[in-house]
Structures are given as C-alpha cells and as structure tokens.
C-alpha cells in the first residue's frame, strides 16, 4: 500500500508522506487518506487513479496472509457462513488477492468500496453483504459477528446492530480499540475461537 501511495504522489510530481502518516489512515477510503495527507480535494481523483494503477501491479507480490489467518478462516468456515467487507475494491482487488492466497473458496460474498455509497463506519457495507449471505435462511442478528482491526469496523458493526470482535494484529490504535468495549483478541484465530465458544454457550 505504501509503495502505491508513493508512486501516486510521484506521478503527480508531489512529495510522498511518510509511512507512519499513511498508516494512520488505513481503514479509511483512499479519498480520505489522500485528503488527510495534504492532497487538495480537486486533485484527489487523479491521485486515486494513479494509486490503483500502481497497486494493481504490486498487490499480488506484496500481500501475504497474517500468521494463523488461513487456519482461522478454515475453522470459521467449519461452523459459519463467511463474508468480506472491505474499503478496497472488492471484485478486482480483494477477491483476486483472496483467490491467489488460497482462501477465497471459504467465503460466500464480498462487498468492496465500489458496491456502496456509504463506506464504513456506515452500516451499508455490512447490511449489503448480509443480503448476499442470507439468500436461503434468516440469520439471527445475535449470531452475526464482525471481526475487525480498526475503529471503523467496530463502529460499522454497531451501526448495523451486530456484534464486533476486535483483533489487535492490524493497524488500529490499541487505545481506541480498548475503549470500544468489544471483545479484544490478539489475532484472527483467537477471535474465531472466541466466537465459536460464545456461539456454543448461546445454543446450550
């Protein structure tokens, strides 16, 4: 992501922000991230265009699963229906990456930035993916969980009236996550195990 940001700035004859500055905006839309890093509103679309061209060329080589991520996905798939909500483009970025990483087969739907008018923290992306996952049966809201690594994920879950579970292995600020009052897990596998145990208690 940072290499793509840097290439976008250089393509516009501009000085790229630091890695730490870019990290602060992860989870927000690209438009918001460029605005946060000094780009004028009238130029944002051009920066985003250059970013996406660069990212498309770099994403497969530069993206890797976190430790325990595949194990977590396989475990979750054994007892739940899985969907993806992302601020990346879904069809031409995230789905391609998930497929290349060998895990797309475990997911039943994806909603990316191109599919919504209001991204996270709005409820729309979650509600839209729930429509995809709920074609044949009524999903009980108290059995739906959003696993996220930023405060935007937690806020989106709250706005969609579902439960959030926080993982601390991403770029979200730990202090803000701790204040959210959502369950805190070190990684996705721990989060999936927490959900599995919590669901089992609900059914007992």
């Amino acid at each position: 992501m940072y290499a793509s940001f840097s290439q976008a700035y250089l393509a516009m004859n501009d000085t790229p922000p630091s890695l730490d500055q870019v990290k602060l905006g992860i989870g927000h839309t690209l438009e918001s991230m460029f605005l946060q890093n000094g780009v004028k509103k009238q130029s944002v679309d051009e920066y985003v265009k250059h970013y996406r061209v660069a990212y498309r060329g770099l994403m497969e080589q530069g993206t890797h699963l976190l430790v325990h991520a595949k194990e977590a996905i396989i475990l979750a798939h054994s007892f739940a229906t899985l969907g993806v909500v992302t601020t990346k483009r879904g069809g031409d970025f995230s789905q391609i990456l998930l497929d290349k990483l060998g895990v797309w087969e475990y997911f039943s739907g994806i909603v990316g930035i191109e599919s919504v008018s209001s991204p996270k923290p709005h409820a729309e992306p979650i509600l839209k993916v729930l429509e995809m996952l709920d074609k044949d049966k009524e999903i009980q809201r108290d059995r739906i969980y959003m696993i996220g690594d930023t405060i935007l994920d937690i806020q989106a879950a709250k706005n969609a009236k579902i439960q959030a579970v926080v993982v601390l292995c991403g770029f979200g600020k730990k202090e803000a996550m701790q204040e959210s009052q959502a369950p805190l897990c070190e990684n996705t596998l721990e989060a999936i195990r927490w959900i599995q145990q919590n669901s089992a208690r609900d059914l007992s």
Side-chain angles (χ1 to χ4, degrees):
M1 285 181 67
Y2 182 65
S4 301
F5 266 94
S6 296
Q7 288 192 31
Y9 278 85
L10 293 173
M12 296 294 290
N13 297 312
D14 197 355
T15 303
S18 70
L19 174 60
D20 287 339
Q21 286 173 302
V22 172
K23 281 183 178 180
L24 290 174
I26 289 178
H28 292 267
T29 65
L30 289 174
E31 290 81 1
S32 294
M33 292 178 74
F34 281 115
L35 288 170
Q36 290 167 16
N37 285 287
V39 174
K40 290 183 170 55
K41 188 172 183 179
Q42 62 267 28
S43 302
V44 163
D45 288 347
E46 280 297 306
Y47 281 76
V48 169
K49 183 176 73 175
H50 286 298
Y51 172 93
R52 285 182 171 146
V53 169
Y55 187 76
R56 188 173 281 109
L58 296 170
M59 65 180 190
E60 291 184 29
Q61 182 179 356
T63 305
H64 311 279
L65 289 174
L66 294 173
V67 176
H68 301 308
K70 187 166 186 177
E71 184 182 352
I73 291 167
I74 293 171
L75 174 60
H77 183 260
S78 72
F79 68 89
T81 303
L82 308 183
V84 177
V85 171
T86 176
T87 311
K88 282 188 175 73
R89 292 182 64 84
D92 51 356
F93 285 170
S94 297
Q95 186 174 333
I96 290 171
L97 287 173
L98 291 168
D99 189 43
K100 292 291 183 182
L101 293 168
V103 294
W104 172 242
E105 64 184 289
Y106 300 104
F107 293 93
S108 299
I110 185 168
V111 169
I113 191 69
E114 77 279 15
S115 302
V116 299
S117 56
S118 300
K120 298 179 289 185
H122 197 278
E124 183 187 354
I126 292 176
L127 298 178
K128 189 157 278 193
V129 82
L130 288 179
E131 289 176 9
M132 294 179 181
L133 306 184
D134 195 23
K135 289 179 180 176
D136 302 317
K137 58 185 178 180
E138 186 68 26
I139 301 176
Q140 295 176 320
R141 280 301 172 97
D142 62 354
R143 292 177 59 79
I144 301 171
Y145 296 86
M146 168 73 163
I147 298 175
D149 66 348
T150 73
I151 196 66
L152 297 178
D153 296 320
I154 300 166
Q155 292 169 341
K158 183 178 179 180
N159 290 334
K161 296 180 170 53
I162 64 170
Q163 301 181 69
V165 180
V166 176
V167 290
L168 300 175
C169 55
F171 291 98
K173 291 184 178 179
K174 191 170 184 178
E175 298 78 12
M177 306 297 232
Q178 289 171 330
E179 292 172 3
S180 70
Q181 299 184 330
L184 299 176
C185 299
E186 288 299 322
N187 55 57
T188 310
L189 182 58
E190 185 179 319
I192 295 299
R193 286 172 173 162
W194 185 93
I195 291 170
Q196 187 179 36
Q197 292 168 2
N198 197 58
S199 299
R201 284 197 298 271
D202 290 343
L203 292 173
S204 62

